Amino acid sequence: MSKPRVAFFDFTSCEGCQLNKLNLEDDLLALLDIVDIVEFREAMDDKADSYDIAFIEGSISSPSCVERIHDIRRRSKFLVALGACAVQGGINAMKNLHPTDWVKEEVYGEDKYLFPSIPAQPVSAVVKVDYEIRGCPMSIPEFLHVLKSIAIGRNPEIIDYAVCVECKLKENECVLDKGMFCLGPITRAGCGAICPEFGQYCTGCRGLVSNVNQNGAVDMLKKHGLSTKEAVKRMDMFCAFDVSRETIGGL
Ligand code: SF4
Ligand code: SF4
Ligand code: SF4
């Protein structure tokens, strides 16, 4: 049986997710036993016409991105979004909170007409996405799980519960009790609650759980004397595309 042909593509991003893959080290050789990497700009010059699995890093933020992602989708059997930028628009989507023309002027000045730009969107807003690997940068264990599952014809397990669940299982001290603001109650788990484990609050890099418990989040905030305005501000960092100000008005 031939090995699945795998390709990696970058869109608007810091390329941190792709660089993260180059750190696979111990797993890289085992990985090459089960897949053929046919295109990966960060690591090789080769190009291919079609792919069994295309991994996409970055958000869609220009007309040329839209055209290119449609082309890749047409040539791929499975398309997987890699990291917060590709999955939920990520940090790039913060620009959507301001008028596009103003943002272009601030960044490019009088050259703004040379850079066609549209609001930053997750890949799934433009083409069908088969699987999502979350985090900023993307989680390596999740990447390996999704890749191996597709390679052997299984559906990868996708986590859809809050970071608080993992945090409590690890018996971490809750940072809310130390007066910090934490997005763990509404953020999708899978990172092992790594930030609270080291005494930091969760900034929501893995995006929202699919059924956000708004009432529970409001109650928790009130109990700890924390402001709902602060919640909205914090969610802008990684969830600006997902969560409109109207939606989080309930918080
Ligand atoms: S998700 Fe984070 S690490 Fe990955 S490309 Fe976006 S900003 Fe960079
Ligand atoms: S530290 Fe954050 S993630 Fe952990 S239990 Fe408290 S609110 Fe939830
Ligand atoms: S705890 Fe929150 S911010 Fe930290 S890695 Fe997990 S989801 Fe991202």
Side-chain angles (χ1 to χ4, degrees):
M1 199 174 81
S2 61
K3 293 192 269 185
R5 293 154 51 79
V6 173
F8 298 95
F9 299 96
D10 51 292
F11 283 75
T12 308
S13 66
C14 77
E15 303 193 1
C17 288
Q18 294 210 65
L19 287 174
N20 211 13
K21 280 189 300 298
L22 296 175
N23 292 333
L24 280 167
E25 291 164 355
D26 295 348
D27 295 299
L28 201 52
L29 287 179
L31 200 61
L32 293 175
D33 275 345
I34 58 166
V35 300
D36 268 339
I37 298 179
V38 295
E39 194 163 332
F40 185 4
R41 189 181 60 80
E42 296 276 358
M44 59 199 271
D45 294 329
D46 295 355
K47 292 200 180 296
D49 294 330
S50 63
Y51 329 99
D52 292 309
I53 313 170
F55 286 99
I56 311 293
E57 177 192 62
S59 65
I60 307 301
S61 69
S62 71
S64 63
C65 289
V66 174
E67 204 177 310
R68 191 168 152 242
I69 193 68
H70 276 294
D71 180 49
I72 294 169
R73 177 69 266 191
R74 271 192 294 274
R75 295 191 278 129
S76 313
K77 282 190 195 152
F78 290 96
L79 189 139
V80 182
L82 265 192
C85 296
V87 172
Q88 73 253 24
I91 292 173
N92 305 326
M94 286 175 80
K95 77 170 186 175
N96 303 358
L97 302 171
H98 307 280
T100 304
D101 203 53
W102 177 84
V103 173
K104 281 165 71 175
E105 193 148 331
E106 286 293 306
V107 177
Y108 303 117
E110 58 188 26
D111 290 333
K112 67 178 179 177
Y113 299 104
L114 300 174
F115 299 94
S117 181
I118 58 175
Q121 304 166 78
V123 176
S124 61
V126 183
V127 295
K128 178 179 174 247
V129 169
D130 298 295
Y131 298 108
E132 294 176 333
I133 298 168
R134 292 170 180 261
C136 177
M138 63 104 191
S139 146
I140 285 185
E142 243 175 300
F143 166 72
L144 291 171
H145 171 65
V146 170
L147 180 53
K148 286 175 186 169
S149 300
I150 300 176
I152 59 172
R154 286 205 185 141
N155 282 331
E157 270 178 54
I158 301 297
I159 289 175
D160 194 7
Y161 50 80
V163 172
C164 283
V165 175
E166 287 180 328
C167 194
K168 288 186 189 307
L169 283 172
K170 284 194 162 175
E171 301 184 352
N172 295 334
E173 185 186 0
C174 181
V175 300
L176 290 173
D177 294 334
K178 295 194 270 181
M180 290 186 197
F181 185 86
C182 184
L183 287 177
I186 55 172
T187 300
R188 207 181 276 237
C191 58
I194 191 160
C195 300
E197 186 176 358
F198 288 95
Q200 290 301 315
Y201 51 84
C202 169
T203 53
C205 80
R206 293 177 55 84
L208 299 172
V209 284
S210 58
N211 288 311
V212 172
N213 178 354
Q214 286 198 357
N215 292 337
V218 170
D219 285 349
M220 189 178 284
L221 285 172
K222 283 185 183 157
K223 188 175 144 207
H224 291 274
L226 297 168
S227 126
T228 50
K229 275 193 179 155
E230 183 65 12
V232 173
K233 211 166 110 213
R234 291 285 172 88
M235 288 162 89
D236 281 351
M237 187 163 166
F238 286 108
C239 302
F241 181 88
D242 283 331
V243 188
S244 69
R245 289 189 182 276
E246 289 74 34
T247 310
I248 48 182
L251 270 182

